[in-house]
Amino acid sequence: MNDRSQMLKGTLEGCILQIIGSSETYGYEISEKLKANGFPDISEGTIYPLLMRLERNGLIAATYRQSPFGPRRKYFRLTEAGKRELDSFWERWVALESAVRSLFAAKGDGRE
């Protein structure tokens, strides 16, 4: 696993919750939104197991709907527990980002 993958591993679930929290959506659309927002290397093969785990953990719920372009699609939405987890993720992310920025600023190397 490359370094970028290791860094992404801890944040991808939060990013997926954010996408689902913005509007009810399905797997391929989540993949496309990730790509459009700077995550070009995240495959559907990575996303679907995460979606299954989020659903199993009660953070998202799914409904099947007919698609005008083929088979039914599984649409995901946040549950109340998912909304709380997304809020918690954001708080942890902001704290982590602040700590990393603080360390680099203290070093004085201009990487702010």
Side-chain angles (χ1 to χ4, degrees):
M1 190 175 285
N2 67 34
D3 292 340
R4 187 167 195 269
S5 294
Q6 281 296 101
M7 291 179 77
L8 283 175
K9 186 177 179 184
T11 59
L12 195 53
E13 281 188 17
C15 293
I16 289 173
L17 288 174
Q18 173 62 22
I19 290 169
I20 295 170
S22 297
S23 65
E24 197 171 44
T25 187
Y26 55 95
Y28 178 75
E29 191 173 58
I30 292 168
S31 174
E32 290 301 302
K33 286 181 180 181
L34 286 168
K35 287 177 186 173
N37 285 283
F39 296 91
D41 301 330
I42 306 300
S43 71
E44 289 178 60
T46 298
I47 294 168
Y48 284 104
L50 288 173
L51 289 170
M52 289 172 41
R53 185 169 63 240
L54 292 170
E55 187 175 15
R56 191 172 49 249
N57 292 338
L59 301 178
I60 61 175
T63 338
Y64 283 95
R65 292 198 197 134
Q66 192 59 43
S67 167
F69 306 106
R72 297 183 315 158
R73 290 183 179 155
K74 192 174 185 179
Y75 280 81
F76 299 97
R77 69 184 179 288
L78 286 186
T79 62
E80 287 303 315
K83 291 174 187 175
R84 289 190 301 273
E85 178 59 27
L86 178 57
D87 289 342
S88 177
F89 168 81
W90 183 247
E91 289 172 11
R92 292 187 313 267
W93 175 258
V94 168
L96 177 62
E97 178 190 29
S98 176
V100 171
R101 285 186 182 276
S102 177
L103 283 170
F104 276 82
K107 186 177 177 186
D109 64 6
R111 294 183 195 178
E112 297 176 278

